[in-house]
Amino acid sequence: MSFEPRIVGILCNWCSYTGADLAGTSRMKYAPNVRVVRVMCSGRMDPTLVLKAFQEGADGVLLAGCHIGDCHYISGNLKTLRRIPLLKRVLVELGIEPERLRLEWVSASEGARYQGVVNEFVEQIRSLGPLDLEARRLPATASAS
Amino acid sequence: MASKIGVYVCHCGMNIAGTVDVPAVIEAAKAMPRVALSKEYKFACSDPGQEMIKQDIKAHGLDAIVVAACSPLMHEKTFRRAVEAAGLNPFLLSIANIREQGSWVTEDPAKATEKAKAIVAGAVFRAARQEPLEMRSVEIHRAALVVGGGIAGIQAALDLADSGIPTTLVERQPSIGGYMAMFDKTFPTLDCSACILTPKMTAVGQHENIKLMAYSEVESVSGFVGNFQVRIRRKAAYVDHTKCNGCGMCMEKCPYKAPSEFDQGLSQRRAIYVPFAQAVPNKPVIDPATCVRFKGKKCKTCIKFCEPGAIDFEQKDSVEEVTVGSIVVATGFQPMDAKKIPQLAYGRHPEVYTALEFERLNNAAGPTQGKILTKDGRVPQSVAILNCTGSRDTNYHEYCSRVCCMYALKYAHLIKEKLHEATVFDFYIDMRCFGKGYEEFYRRLQDEGVRFIRGKAAQVFGGKEYKAIANAAGFIDGLEDHQLVVQAEDSLLGKLIRVPVDMVVLTPAVEARADADEVGRKFLVSRGADGFFLEQHPKLAPVSTTNDGVYIAGACQGPKDIPDSVAQGSAAAGKALGLIARREVEVEGTTASVVDELCSGCKCCLTLCAYNAISFDADRHRSSINEVLCKGCGTCVASCPSSAIKAKHFTDEQIFAEIEGLMSM
Amino acid sequence: MANAKLKVGMYWAASCGGCDVALLDIHEKILDVVAVADLVFWPCAMDFKVHHVEAMPDKHIDVCFISGAVRNSENEHMVKLLRRKSKVLCAFGSCAHIGGIPGLANFWDRQSIFQTVYHASPSTENPKGTVPVERFKVAEGELTLPHLYDTVKTLGQTIDVDYFLPGCPPNPDQIAAVIGVIAAGKAPAKGSVVGASERAMCEECPRKKTELKFKSFKRRHLTHPDPEVCFMEQGIVCVGAATRSGCGWRCIGSNMPCRGCYGPLPSVHDQGAKMLSAIAACIDADTPDDVERILDTMPDPAGTFYRFGLPASMLRRRQRGQDGREAR
């Protein structure tokens, strides 16, 4: 059986989630591998959420927010623009291909773009193969805090 | 944590059930943790569907609800109301979007079903962690602000004021009126622009509920829906308008001149001036760039001739603060600088005019008293109007400017009316005559003998050099020195044409004002890719913005003609009124808050908030969030290194649970 | 327990011994401890053998402190044995709490560490290519060595732990206080972090801080930081904002930024990710290129943000993939 990637998508409410909805109302078909979490702004996209998705078995994480300059909350997406490159640098050191994390800007009117991004990302993850996180095979984390 | 979750999977007719195996999703949901019951329904959003959920909440003591249906952007409010009616806090509802992001986008039924199960699991896991929240109620200040005194802003201000709402109208220029005040006639009815605009301007000036602040600009806006504090800078006019009686002697006598902005530089105005005769307020201002007193000279002409003694060179800018409940932004557009398209020769050849220049040239109150004359005083024998100057052109603006086809027709008509013998060419890509009476007007112009050429003008040539080349190459016979040649491809004939004319009128694109970015930031209104302000929904909320209480009207939202601008002005006023009439407004409780026991005062959050909602108490060494100012984006939440800031309804635990659910299937 | 003395044990797993020294650093308070406690097991300080422990009845030790992470089979065997023999078991120090410095081994694995240590390191002189083996027969019989694991684990990931006392090493005053509390029978809830604050280092840090904005990152040893001003404002990464206070800001007082040994705050899931997020959001750049340019000035971000807590972090270690492939 071929590898079907499981991807967590975290989308901002105002642009990307609405854009994804538009792909739906326009009946654009795309790969079913992305499971979406809605947050209000890409500024909420805490790196911890990305790690959580990987920890839970995601093979890839797609983050999408309003285009730079169009943030519903003015500048939330700028914070994400700054965080994700650093997170990617850390992921490399943690043995996770940075390509497994993707940050895209998708506006509310870009249903077709969302479709394209999802299809492309799913294929990229498919070619990278499963992440098969080792932490999932290690003993459960007892309270460490 | 919720322990009795009710799951409802909607068929949405065949929209969901046509692709997703709903019974399989129901069965899967039954096995999910803390799910007490799991049901399907044909149309969950229907009254009986909602009723079923209400009954179940009461009968089974459900403490959280998951509705798997369409997008939460569609029906979250509907189901929240239903849940609330059954006595459950509306924030204990979670929507699983299995239609827009499920059945509609997935071809394979098995995969669509699998995805739907995962989405439902995400919602179920999340629902278990959701917490009841209260909506906040905010009182609305009974006053409004309108920014921009063009026709859209004038209309909005009048509608608000007529309804008894104290309204402040801020205009940057010395007079209200905007572009419409510059026009001679309006399409397609050919009403005299001044005749229909001036009464409205006067009404604004005299209205007991309107505080007109011309020659003023909004400096900053703080606060939130219902309670905006707006600082307005009134520029120094150097004339005390409370004393000035508007006699005009100062303007007559002032010896210093500058090009008139209102006449597009085609005439001169004095250093002390009103922009045009019907200006409101009809009180002059002194332009410090032209007045020689600001250059150290001792001219006293205006002081000498001002009987009431209103001239005041000591005057300074003053700042006023007003508190308003809602704001209408009607800051308008700017015409594109035609020099950006060098091949059209604007600025190089005197007989190439912009549309606004031609408006003034044609206006009875303009520099030529309405006579259409070339700069050297000749009556043009032929005029070319070039449509789509920078519009529908991916090099400049991809969009259509919407008004140019129609005013080009208007110009063609006016030229024909005034200069019976002149030939008028109209170069167009498509004629877009979509409005009421517009197509009829086009047909009328065809009958009037205007030469319509379907082809975008590629280049405008002129001057003696071109004449020499053209004559030598035999392009055109008998070209005169002053003549211009418009070169285009006639796309109906499929051939290159060169048309000699005496005058060329360009139709520069309607574009977002150069400072739209800055203005947008002041009012927290975002802009689209085209630079214009973005409405909340292109169809269903055309004058609302994503900033509650701030509405947009007119061409600041996109190119618009006068009827549409007026309609939007009224629409925005209506929305602003509707808000004020509610007296108080409910604001979502999904804000962020600082857990005091966890905050160490690290200050990492302080620079992040775009709304200045985070403040730092230096004595207690703690951050705190003003939840009235907070919009709930969660940017600070993601940054807090102590996880001391919680995003209500979007906590780490809730999102973690949702991810766990999504990945559990 | 009022009359009988408290039976206390102290053991070191994958640890440098600094924690044992820290216990001695409580100075004359050790006398107070001895007044209420008998040290029944402390191999670092006194001669105890494993069979002494094995001979103890279960739950014989009232309180057992274990420092060090769990890196090999011996560590694991001993901590499981001590768990059985102890009523209350307390993770002592950063390594036991969150993995500590030995936890940095999780950026590598057994094979690559052996390769570096016994072959590739410039200071290695090993012409015969000798490597440790777990079983080796000699005339006298078989010698054994513990098995070194690929992945370093925290104590809590290995056995059930009652309390966590953080720090590299724990602050002596906090050690004394914690022993006092436990001896007095006023033990906090199971699983608690003890001897540390619920707030971050910034709570105690005396340095002045106004606004965060990173135009570039600077390395501590290449700068002369102003001792009055927040390190972060001077472009030096300090992870104090994501680290529990309670240490007495020994590093900060010595003009060294906090490196995070006291571990994450109570509601934080991943100390490194939270600090990364806080710092990155304040990078003074609005375009991807500018952000990358500034990030180029930060060496080893993963090692910086996970210096002490990699085994306790959400991803636990560097991933190697199913076939051991490298993502780099």
Side-chain angles (χ1 to χ4, degrees):
Chain A
M1 200 179 125
S2 75
F3 162 55
E4 277 301 331
R6 298 202 307 160
I7 295 168
V8 169
I10 308 181
L11 311 185
C12 88
N13 180 64
W14 303 96
C15 292
S16 304
Y17 194 88
T18 312
D21 272 2
L22 178 64
T25 38
S26 315
R27 308 299 201 275
M28 295 170 180
K29 306 293 183 231
Y30 58 82
N33 309 55
V34 178
R35 294 151 185 204
V36 169
V37 174
R38 180 174 63 111
V39 294
M40 294 314 281
C41 176
S42 57
R44 176 68 183 89
M45 294 174 189
D46 186 335
T48 310
L49 304 180
V50 175
L51 299 184
K52 177 67 180 177
F54 284 131
Q55 196 187 32
E56 290 300 320
D59 301 304
V61 179
L62 171 66
L63 307 177
C66 305
H67 286 272
I68 295 301
D70 293 340
C71 179
H72 178 81
Y73 300 100
I74 304 165
S75 56
N77 55 4
L78 279 178
K79 315 301 188 296
T80 302
L81 173 93
R82 298 170 192 162
R83 285 181 189 128
I84 301 310
L86 182 52
L87 177 59
K88 284 193 172 201
R89 286 173 186 234
V90 168
L91 286 180
V92 170
E93 295 303 311
L94 289 171
I96 294 182
E97 298 88 340
E99 296 80 20
R100 291 188 187 273
L101 171 61
R102 186 150 170 172
L103 174 62
E104 290 281 352
W105 312 120
V106 177
S107 84
S109 58
E110 293 178 328
R113 182 172 154 71
Y114 182 74
Q115 175 194 37
V117 163
V118 168
N119 281 336
E120 202 184 301
F121 190 46
V122 169
E123 282 319 303
Q124 185 170 23
I125 299 298
R126 205 189 294 280
S127 67
L128 282 172
L131 176 57
D132 192 29
L133 199 76
E134 276 181 71
R136 290 164 65 75
R137 301 197 298 270
L138 293 169
T141 310
S143 169
S145 53
Chain B
M1 205 195 301
S3 58
K4 294 183 89 176
I5 303 173
V7 179
Y8 298 87
V9 184
C10 177
H11 287 229
C12 194
M14 290 304 283
N15 280 311
I16 291 169
T19 315
V20 171
D21 180 354
V22 173
V25 177
I26 295 291
E27 285 311 307
K30 280 180 184 156
M32 290 173 195
R34 292 177 282 274
V35 170
L37 69 84
S38 171
K39 289 183 175 178
E40 57 190 300
Y41 202 76
K42 205 96 189 143
F43 287 103
C45 62
S46 67
D47 283 347
Q50 293 184 48
E51 198 50 41
M52 172 179 73
I53 297 172
K54 288 182 207 169
Q55 294 302 331
D56 284 350
I57 291 172
K58 288 178 192 153
H60 302 279
L62 301 176
D63 53 7
I65 298 296
V66 169
V67 178
C70 53
S71 169
L73 306 182
M74 193 79 192
H75 270 311
E76 187 172 51
K77 280 198 174 124
T78 312
F79 291 111
R80 274 186 179 174
R81 273 198 298 272
V83 163
E84 195 171 21
L88 207 56
N89 185 284
F91 290 90
L92 298 174
L93 166 81
S94 182
I95 301 277
N97 181 354
I98 59 167
R99 191 181 75 172
E100 281 84 343
Q101 298 185 19
S103 63
W104 277 352
V105 291
T106 316
E107 240 152 352
D108 178 354
K111 285 179 175 168
T113 305
E114 189 194 359
K115 187 177 182 185
K117 286 179 191 171
I119 296 171
V120 169
V124 165
F125 278 56
R126 187 188 209 286
R129 296 275 179 173
Q130 280 173 201
E131 290 161 7
L133 292 176
E134 295 306 318
M135 298 291 274
R136 291 173 296 136
S137 184
V138 180
E139 202 176 316
I140 292 172
H141 201 87
R142 198 173 169 278
L145 170 74
V146 177
V147 187
I151 185 58
I154 288 173
Q155 185 65 37
L158 286 174
D159 285 356
L160 282 159
D162 286 344
S163 310
I165 304 299
T167 302
T168 305
L169 174 61
V170 177
E171 167 57 48
R172 178 183 279 175
Q173 298 298 328
S175 169
I176 58 170
Y179 289 109
M180 189 178 169
M182 298 175 182
F183 303 162
D184 181 48
K185 297 285 194 309
T186 59
F187 61 77
T189 49
L190 301 171
D191 305 69
C192 151
S193 186
C195 310
I196 54 177
L197 176 65
T198 315
K200 280 192 183 285
M201 290 169 60
T202 313
V204 167
Q206 295 173 346
H207 209 296
E208 56 176 5
N209 287 330
I210 295 181
K211 176 176 175 179
L212 174 57
M213 295 183 70
Y215 212 40
S216 302
E217 281 184 55
V218 171
E219 198 162 74
S220 66
V221 181
S222 59
F224 48 90
V225 55
N227 293 273
F228 295 104
Q229 279 83 42
V230 187
R231 285 168 61 84
I232 303 164
R233 174 174 296 272
R234 198 190 278 273
K235 288 176 268 190
Y238 307 107
V239 178
D240 183 344
H241 287 177
T242 58
K243 290 183 186 163
C244 171
N245 58 17
C247 70
M249 280 301 282
C250 52
M251 298 184 273
E252 220 176 291
K253 301 293 181 188
C254 174
Y256 296 95
K257 291 180 182 172
S260 158
E261 294 85 354
F262 189 78
D263 274 343
Q264 300 297 300
L266 296 175
S267 73
Q268 303 266 297
R269 57 140 172 98
R270 306 300 165 109
I272 182 165
Y273 72 106
V274 293
F276 55 104
Q278 299 82 10
V280 173
N282 206 334
K283 304 280 172 80
V285 298
I286 294 174
D287 161 22
T290 309
C291 174
V292 294
R293 277 184 74 99
F294 293 89
K295 295 167 190 142
K297 301 235 173 81
K298 293 212 167 62
C299 176
K300 283 186 180 171
T301 316
C302 54
I303 301 173
K304 205 158 62 191
F305 286 96
C306 183
E307 210 169 289
I311 309 293
D312 177 9
F313 281 100
E314 299 305 308
Q315 208 175 58
K316 298 268 179 296
D317 287 9
S318 60
V319 175
E320 275 185 46
E321 190 172 305
V322 296
T323 302
V324 296
S326 55
I327 297 175
V328 175
V329 177
T331 47
F333 69 99
Q334 68 182 25
M336 187 182 128
D337 178 3
K339 285 185 189 142
K340 285 184 182 164
I341 313 180
Q343 62 270 33
L344 297 184
Y346 178 73
R348 281 191 287 122
H349 197 289
E351 293 312 314
V352 180
Y353 294 82
T354 66
L356 277 179
E357 287 170 350
F358 188 76
E359 285 287 356
R360 296 311 300 154
L361 199 62
N362 189 53
N363 194 298
T368 58
Q369 289 79 45
K371 293 192 192 75
I372 302 171
L373 295 174
T374 61
K375 296 231 167 68
D376 52 11
R378 287 174 299 106
V379 174
Q381 296 306 301
S382 55
V383 181
I385 305 168
L386 313 188
N387 287 14
C388 297
T389 308
S391 307
R392 302 184 67 194
D393 182 337
T394 49
N395 296 314
Y396 304 98
H397 296 298
E398 201 178 345
Y399 55 80
C400 163
S401 288
R402 290 180 96 244
V403 291
C404 330
C405 284
M406 289 311 297
Y407 72 64
L409 291 177
K410 176 184 79 176
Y411 292 167
H413 171 82
L414 295 173
I415 297 166
K416 278 289 190 190
E417 190 179 65
K418 289 187 177 171
L419 318 170
H420 303 289
E421 302 308 315
T423 317
V424 182
F425 300 93
D426 188 344
F427 291 81
Y428 69 100
I429 305 176
D430 300 289
M431 265 298 165
R432 295 191 162 173
C433 311
F434 53 89
K436 198 170 180 176
Y438 290 9
E439 185 65 26
E440 295 89 323
F441 189 60
Y442 176 32
R443 189 164 288 267
R444 173 175 165 191
L445 266 289
Q446 286 171 321
D447 293 342
E448 286 180 12
V450 174
R451 306 266 296 270
F452 289 98
I453 296 168
R454 189 176 190 279
K456 187 175 172 180
Q459 198 150 2
V460 175
F461 299 101
K464 284 180 186 162
E465 296 80 8
Y466 181 74
K467 183 192 160 190
I469 297 164
N471 287 345
F475 287 163
I476 305 154
D477 291 331
L479 194 62
E480 288 175 48
D481 279 353
H482 66 266
Q483 277 189 309
L484 294 154
V485 172
V486 179
Q487 181 172 299
E489 186 203 341
D490 186 324
S491 62
L492 293 179
L493 298 177
K495 70 178 202 184
L496 185 79
I497 55 167
R498 296 185 181 87
V499 181
V501 290
D502 294 336
M503 185 183 266
V504 167
V505 182
L506 306 180
T507 58
V510 171
E511 65 180 15
R513 292 194 72 94
D515 62 354
D517 185 27
E518 187 193 325
V519 172
R521 269 199 300 273
K522 269 179 202 168
F523 295 98
L524 302 180
V525 174
S526 43
R527 297 188 306 141
D530 53 12
F532 291 103
F533 294 146
L534 204 59
E535 63 283 355
Q536 193 178 31
H537 190 283
K539 294 176 182 65
L540 303 178
V543 297
S544 303
T545 68
T546 46
N547 187 12
D548 288 346
V550 176
Y551 305 96
I552 47 177
C556 64
Q557 182 262 350
K560 238 168 239 76
D561 59 12
I562 293 167
D564 283 0
S565 295
V566 172
Q568 277 212 334
S570 282
K575 293 298 285 183
L577 264 174
L579 179 69
I580 290 169
R582 276 149 66 187
R583 291 169 190 276
E584 52 178 34
V585 65
E586 285 213 316
V587 189
E588 279 224 4
T590 53
T591 51
S593 64
V594 178
V595 180
D596 200 67
E597 304 82 68
L598 297 176
C599 175
S600 69
C602 74
K603 296 188 175 177
C604 288
C605 55
L606 289 187
T607 56
L608 302 179
C609 183
Y611 305 94
N612 298 320
I614 308 178
S615 57
F616 191 76
D617 182 337
D619 293 338
R620 294 184 57 248
H621 200 64
R622 299 279 176 265
S623 285
S624 64
I625 292 175
N626 180 339
E627 294 196 39
V628 172
L629 295 178
C630 173
K631 306 269 181 193
C633 67
T635 299
C636 58
V637 180
S639 257
C640 177
S642 299
S643 286
I645 311 181
K646 301 285 173 212
K648 292 178 192 164
H649 209 54
F650 290 91
T651 64
D652 284 351
E653 287 66 31
Q654 287 162 356
I655 300 174
F656 271 30
E658 189 172 354
I659 294 172
E660 284 166 20
L662 289 172
M663 288 285 111
S664 71
M665 290 279 140
Chain C
M1 208 191 274
N3 302 323
K5 275 192 173 182
L6 203 64
K7 288 190 270 302
V8 174
M10 174 85 182
Y11 183 67
W12 53 351
S15 156
C16 67
C19 286
D20 300 86
V21 177
L23 186 55
L24 289 172
D25 273 347
I26 67 177
H27 300 302
E28 66 280 3
K29 286 193 193 124
I30 193 88
L31 299 174
D32 299 340
V33 173
V34 173
V36 295
D38 276 334
L39 282 160
V40 296
F41 183 59
W42 190 2
C44 177
M46 293 174 251
D47 188 16
F48 289 101
K49 299 293 185 235
V50 178
H51 62 82
H52 293 141
V53 183
E54 284 167 342
M56 293 175 184
D58 283 1
K59 308 260 179 225
H60 175 72
I61 304 171
D62 291 310
V63 185
C64 185
F65 296 102
I66 297 180
S67 71
V70 176
R71 261 209 97 169
N72 62 32
S73 53
E74 183 207 23
N75 298 151
E76 182 162 2
H77 173 77
M78 282 304 295
V79 300
K80 284 182 170 164
L81 176 66
L82 286 165
R83 174 69 273 188
R84 220 167 51 237
K85 303 297 177 186
S86 309
K87 287 198 187 82
V88 171
L89 192 138
C90 179
F92 191 102
S94 301
C95 304
H97 175 213
I98 52 176
I101 296 296
L104 287 169
N106 283 359
F107 281 118
W108 312 95
D109 56 19
R110 188 184 132 93
Q111 198 193 343
S112 55
I113 289 170
F114 272 30
Q115 175 63 23
T116 303
V117 172
Y118 295 104
H119 302 290
S121 153
S123 60
T124 298
E125 182 67 31
N126 185 6
K128 288 185 194 162
T130 310
V131 289
V133 288
E134 285 167 26
R135 293 180 184 283
F136 191 70
K137 281 208 170 72
V138 289
E140 293 83 359
E142 192 180 54
L143 298 175
T144 59
L145 278 175
H147 175 71
L148 186 81
Y149 295 146
D150 269 333
T151 300
V152 179
K153 291 183 286 181
T154 69
L155 195 60
Q157 287 161 356
T158 314
I159 55 168
D160 187 33
V161 174
D162 297 300
Y163 307 116
F164 299 87
L165 175 59
C168 183
N171 176 324
D173 293 340
Q174 301 275 21
I175 299 171
V178 166
I179 294 175
V181 166
I182 297 175
K186 292 178 191 157
K190 186 177 155 73
S192 299
V193 171
V194 293
S197 157
E198 303 278 279
R199 288 199 176 105
M201 287 301 301
C202 304
E203 169 80 355
E204 295 178 353
C205 177
R207 290 171 182 249
K208 282 196 262 322
K209 186 177 190 177
T210 47
E211 196 182 301
L212 266 194
K213 212 172 231 188
F214 292 98
K215 292 186 188 301
S216 72
F217 293 98
K218 298 190 178 75
R219 304 187 72 174
R220 167 63 187 89
H221 65 281
L222 299 176
T223 48
H224 297 283
D226 181 338
E228 308 276 303
V229 177
C230 172
F231 287 105
M232 304 251 271
E233 264 184 44
Q234 304 182 62
I236 299 164
V237 173
C238 169
V239 300
T243 305
R244 280 180 190 263
S245 58
C247 61
W249 46 283
R250 294 168 295 188
C251 298
I252 289 169
S254 316
N255 212 3
M256 284 297 289
C258 172
R259 276 99 54 87
C261 75
Y262 262 62
L265 279 303
S267 44
V268 168
H269 298 276
D270 191 293
Q271 185 184 14
K274 287 292 345 185
M275 196 64 224
L276 175 169
S277 183
I279 285 181
C282 296
I283 289 174
D284 190 17
D286 292 344
T287 66
D289 287 351
D290 288 348
V291 171
E292 295 291 352
R293 192 175 42 73
I294 292 174
L295 287 179
D296 282 343
T297 63
M298 184 195 284
D300 188 19
T304 304
F305 296 121
Y306 292 103
R307 191 189 303 263
F308 284 90
L310 183 58
S313 72
M314 289 172 76
L315 298 186
R316 308 270 296 270
R317 61 157 297 119
R318 179 184 173 85
Q319 307 303 308
R320 294 162 300 182
Q322 287 164 313
D323 49 2
R325 79 197 130 72
E326 287 285 311
R328 232 184 273 247

